[in-house]
């Protein structure tokens, strides 16, 4: 896919919040890139016409694919954070404040 050159992990990996934070930072940094070249006309004459999925003005380009992946990673990161909170609350309820059934299972 065209996004494989931007980042090599699929968006659902961002369910782990640490990975999601890294992916979103990497995508935000790669969404807008400014090119400098020697000779000065190389960027505008050769490099920019050969780019796909980019909108360029002058020597800077913005990649729409990176922004699409950014929002997918944000969504999965929020989903992962919500699941971790729910799992943590359930684990607290079971191990710290156990109900009668859990106490019976422990004593058996």
């Amino acid at each position: 896919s065209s996004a494989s050159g931007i980042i090599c992990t699929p968006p659902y990996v961002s369910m782990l919040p640490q990975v999601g934070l890294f992916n979103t930072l990497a995508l935000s940094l790669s969404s807008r890139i400014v090119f400098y070249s020697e000779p000065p006309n190389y960027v505008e004459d050769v490099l920019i016409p050969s780019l796909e999925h980019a909108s360029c003005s002058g020597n800077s380009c913005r990649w729409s694919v990176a922004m699409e992946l950014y929002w997918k990673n944000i969504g999965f990161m929020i989903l992962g954070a919500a699941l971790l909170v729910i799992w943590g609350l359930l684990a607290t309820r079971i191990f710290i404040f156990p109900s009668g059934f859990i106490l019976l299972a422990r004593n058996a």
Side-chain angles (χ1 to χ4, degrees):
S1 93
S2 61
S4 63
I6 293 174
I7 194 162
C8 59
T9 57
Y12 62 82
V13 176
S14 292
M15 287 179 69
L16 292 171
Q18 302 88 339
V19 176
L21 180 63
F22 175 77
N23 284 348
T24 55
L25 287 174
L27 286 167
S28 66
L29 289 174
S30 66
S31 67
R32 183 176 178 270
I33 296 178
V34 178
F35 296 102
Y36 298 99
S37 71
E38 196 58 45
N41 295 338
Y42 178 79
V43 170
E44 294 176 3
D45 296 339
V46 178
L47 184 63
I48 290 178
S50 67
L51 296 175
E52 294 179 14
H53 305 290
S55 60
C56 301
S57 66
N59 62 346
S60 67
C61 294
R62 185 171 288 278
W63 270 269
S64 60
V65 175
M67 292 312 294
E68 290 173 19
L69 282 175
Y70 174 82
W71 289 112
K72 286 180 183 178
N73 279 285
I74 289 287
F76 278 110
M77 189 169 64
I78 291 170
L79 175 65
L83 290 175
L84 283 174
V85 167
I86 292 168
W87 184 69
L89 291 173
L90 287 174
T92 302
R93 175 71 175 111
I94 291 171
F95 295 114
I96 305 298
F97 305 108
S99 63
F101 173 74
I102 300 296
L103 290 173
L104 289 174
R106 279 189 192 170
N107 293 332

